[in-house]
Amino acid sequence: MRVFKFGGASVKSATAVKNVSKVLSTHTEAPLLVVISAMGKITNKMEELVDAYYHTKESKKNIFEEIKYFHQNIIAELQIDEYDYYEVDNLLIELECMVEKKRDQTSSYDVEYDRIVPFGELISTKIVSIFLNKMGYKNRWIDARNFVITTNKNRAANVLWDESVPLIKSGLKPLVEKQTVITQGFIGRGLNHKNTTLGREGSDYSAAIFAYALDADSVTIWKDVEGVMNADPRKFENAVLIPKLSYNEAIELAYYGASVIHPKTIQPLKSKDIPLYVKSFLDPKKPGTVVLENASRTLNETQCYIIKERQSLIKIASRDFSFIVEDNLEIIFSAFNSSGVQLNLMQNSAISFMACFNADKMKRNALVELLKEKFVVEWSEGYTLITVFNYALGSTQLPTIIAGRKIALEQKSSSALQLLLED
Ligand code: ADP
Ligand code: ASP
Ligand code: MG
């Protein structure tokens, strides 16, 4: 049994969906579960829709129409006939009704987010499933929320393995054994029976959750790049493919922000020794990257560059000049944790603590609110975090990357050099 995952880029247009069908038709030898994300950049549009709905903005109607036309155009190009299409139409109608209503004032932003954003995945999987059936590739559409059971923490739910694994084993496995199953990444259901999401780009992780519970033989994530490379090929024209990685190496790259694999993906696979293939849906015959326990440690000889844009910098100083040691650090970390702000790099001196994190106005405001009574808090935006992995091999690209920009933070470990640069 195998698990495939197709991300947004692989289903961004009718041509892309046809290509998915081509890739699948050459892999018919083993039972298959196919996990699919929302189409193209639809999750960003869904986020705009949530924002407009939550803050009762005029723009919500136009955003909804954009989402509707985007999908309807794909359907038209795929030439799915009207009868098949009604299920997608129903989802669009349901979404429209949801956002047309006045919102429940007691409901939080994150709950509303998880009510609305999963429509991206639900619609996309419906379209692909209907299209594949029409093309003769028989498959069954399954709602992932019936199997991926999570905590109720909206937008960053944790998987409840004890609940999810038995459900997947008893309910999903027999279906996959019979016929290819198409399901959604990124979404789940909380113990309160409401929708949850696993965090942006969480579909890779969903594939790993299913693979773990199904004891799959492998997972393949299909990307618009050759595999895992030593840098993002969109930003580094000399990027080279890393053919093999051990689980630990992959975890490390993902941890520093190599966005080609979601950081949580590796752990479930490592614990069951399930190989992960990262391959190009544009060139499926190419070998791509394989992540395995005993992969030769090629990463040791490869210098990797990881770039995280849109960073915010926060400086936290004690009001009473007390040292930033255990007691203050406890307060600071607890504020980061409860505001959901994820630290990308941190540094502290005697009376101050500095950290960078992905720019997010709402989370940052929540963080500042929690800290401002006890600390002087300053923040600024417009930074890029550069990580050079295996920097000791000697860096040729770094001067070009820095290019005279001011370094706001700098940190070195035995393997990684990290620089926060002003944009
Ligand atoms: P999807 O959401 O379609 O599954 P993503 O856009 O999340 O795919 O991931 C693929 C993208 O990751 C590539 O287009 C590439 O620009 C980027 N990327 C970042 N770092 C790397 C890397 N080290 N190797 C390969 N691709 C990378
Ligand atoms: N659609 C979600 C996102 O864009 C999940 C994913 O694509 O992995 O974040
Ligand atoms: Mg993605």
Side-chain angles (χ1 to χ4, degrees):
M1 187 165 293
R2 296 200 290 179
V3 176
F4 279 7
K5 180 256 168 174
F6 289 93
S10 63
V11 287
K12 66 176 182 190
S13 62
T15 313
V17 173
K18 287 178 189 164
N19 184 60
V20 167
S21 149
K22 223 164 76 189
V23 173
L24 288 177
S25 60
T26 55
H27 292 88
T28 49
E29 65 281 11
L32 189 62
L33 174 78
V34 183
V35 175
I36 304 179
S37 309
M39 294 179 147
K41 302 278 178 212
I42 278 296
T43 304
N44 295 351
K45 274 278 161 236
M46 288 288 178
E47 288 189 341
E48 281 179 36
L49 182 62
V50 177
D51 185 71
Y53 166 71
Y54 194 79
H55 298 110
T56 332
K57 292 183 189 163
E58 284 285 305
S59 56
K60 76 177 178 187
K61 186 143 188 63
N62 287 341
I63 301 167
F64 170 76
E65 294 292 318
E66 254 187 86
I67 291 169
K68 181 167 117 183
Y69 290 132
F70 174 85
H71 291 104
Q72 284 182 337
N73 281 337
I74 290 182
I75 287 167
E77 276 189 58
L78 289 174
Q79 295 171 326
I80 296 172
D81 64 40
E82 239 172 80
Y83 171 75
D84 292 329
Y85 161 64
Y86 80 96
E87 285 183 287
V88 181
D89 227 8
N90 283 348
L91 285 168
L92 285 166
I93 292 166
E94 200 183 323
L95 175 62
E96 187 171 21
C97 291
M98 213 176 249
V99 297
E100 259 180 9
K101 274 196 200 139
K102 262 196 158 177
R103 87 168 166 88
D104 170 3
Q105 295 298 319
T106 60
S107 184
S108 74
Y109 186 88
D110 291 353
V111 168
E112 294 304 321
Y113 182 104
D114 280 354
R115 232 158 54 89
I116 292 170
V117 176
F119 276 89
E121 267 64 18
L122 295 170
I123 294 171
S124 136
T125 47
K126 270 281 176 219
I127 294 175
V128 177
S129 167
I130 293 168
F131 177 72
L132 291 174
N133 272 322
K134 183 179 127 95
M135 297 303 290
Y137 185 94
K138 292 296 164 212
N139 70 89
R140 183 164 177 165
W141 182 92
I142 289 290
D143 191 331
R145 294 170 297 181
N146 294 335
F147 297 101
V148 179
I149 309 301
T150 70
T151 55
N152 298 333
K153 192 172 179 194
N154 292 102
R155 292 181 73 183
N158 289 315
V159 174
L160 295 171
W161 296 97
D162 290 347
E163 277 76 11
S164 307
V165 173
L167 280 177
I168 295 172
K169 273 194 196 305
S170 65
L172 188 61
K173 199 170 186 175
L175 300 179
V176 182
E177 275 160 357
K178 262 197 234 146
Q179 196 171 41
T180 295
V181 167
I182 307 276
T183 195
Q184 309 77 41
F186 179 56
I187 67 174
R189 182 162 285 149
L191 285 175
N192 59 4
H193 302 290
K194 290 188 177 169
N195 285 357
T196 54
T197 53
L198 305 174
R200 286 302 307 265
E201 303 299 331
S203 294
D204 293 347
Y205 181 40
S206 299
I209 296 164
F210 285 116
Y212 175 93
L214 293 168
D215 292 304
D217 298 310
S218 67
V219 173
T220 306
I221 51 181
W222 296 93
K223 298 273 171 180
D224 58 359
V225 285
E226 235 185 287
V228 179
M229 310 188 81
N230 75 323
D232 184 342
R234 283 180 211 274
K235 293 174 184 148
F236 289 75
E237 51 180 67
N238 302 326
V240 292
L241 179 78
I242 306 174
K244 274 187 182 176
L245 284 169
S246 69
Y247 292 117
N248 286 353
E249 289 170 334
I251 285 174
E252 202 132 16
L253 284 184
Y255 167 80
Y256 285 115
S259 58
V260 65
I261 310 176
H262 186 277
K264 283 173 135 182
T265 311
I266 308 295
Q267 192 49 44
L269 303 181
K270 178 178 156 77
S271 69
K272 288 215 174 162
D273 227 341
I274 300 170
L276 169 68
Y277 297 92
V278 182
K279 283 169 70 90
S280 164
F281 59 76
L282 299 167
D283 211 342
K285 290 219 169 79
K286 284 200 172 157
T289 298
V290 57
V291 183
L292 296 161
E293 186 57 62
N294 296 318
S296 62
R297 298 184 61 84
T298 45
L299 198 62
N300 278 348
E301 292 105 52
T302 316
Q303 193 160 70
C304 300
Y305 296 87
I306 299 159
I307 297 197
K308 266 181 176 271
E309 287 161 342
R310 289 183 293 283
Q311 297 296 297
S312 297
L313 176 65
I314 193 162
K315 187 173 175 192
I316 302 161
S318 55
R319 287 194 184 276
D320 57 2
F321 295 99
S322 59
F323 290 137
I324 301 290
V325 287
E326 295 80 359
D327 49 354
N328 279 330
L329 283 173
E330 188 177 358
I331 299 169
I332 293 170
F333 284 130
S334 144
F336 272 93
N337 190 27
S338 39
S339 58
V341 174
Q342 234 180 312
L343 286 161
N344 291 330
L345 181 65
M346 58 189 161
Q347 218 164 60
N348 69 303
S349 65
I351 56 164
S352 77
F353 176 93
M354 287 166 85
C356 79
F357 52 90
N358 302 347
D360 180 319
K361 200 169 143 196
M362 282 179 76
K363 288 184 180 172
R364 184 205 61 220
N365 287 347
L367 174 68
V368 173
E369 205 50 44
L370 288 168
L371 290 168
K372 70 180 188 198
E373 196 183 315
K374 198 161 167 32
F375 303 94
V376 178
V377 184
E378 292 165 20
W379 56 266
S380 48
E381 282 178 346
Y383 297 89
T384 298
L385 178 63
I386 316 284
T387 302
V388 186
F389 201 68
N390 291 330
Y391 68 95
L393 293 174
S395 168
T396 49
Q397 311 245 15
L398 212 44
T400 330
I401 299 169
I402 298 174
R405 288 195 278 174
K406 206 172 149 208
I407 300 173
L409 283 179
E410 179 171 354
Q411 204 165 79
K412 266 183 192 174
S413 72
S414 59
S415 58
L417 165 66
Q418 293 191 284
L419 302 174
L420 185 70
L421 301 177
E422 278 183 12
D423 290 342

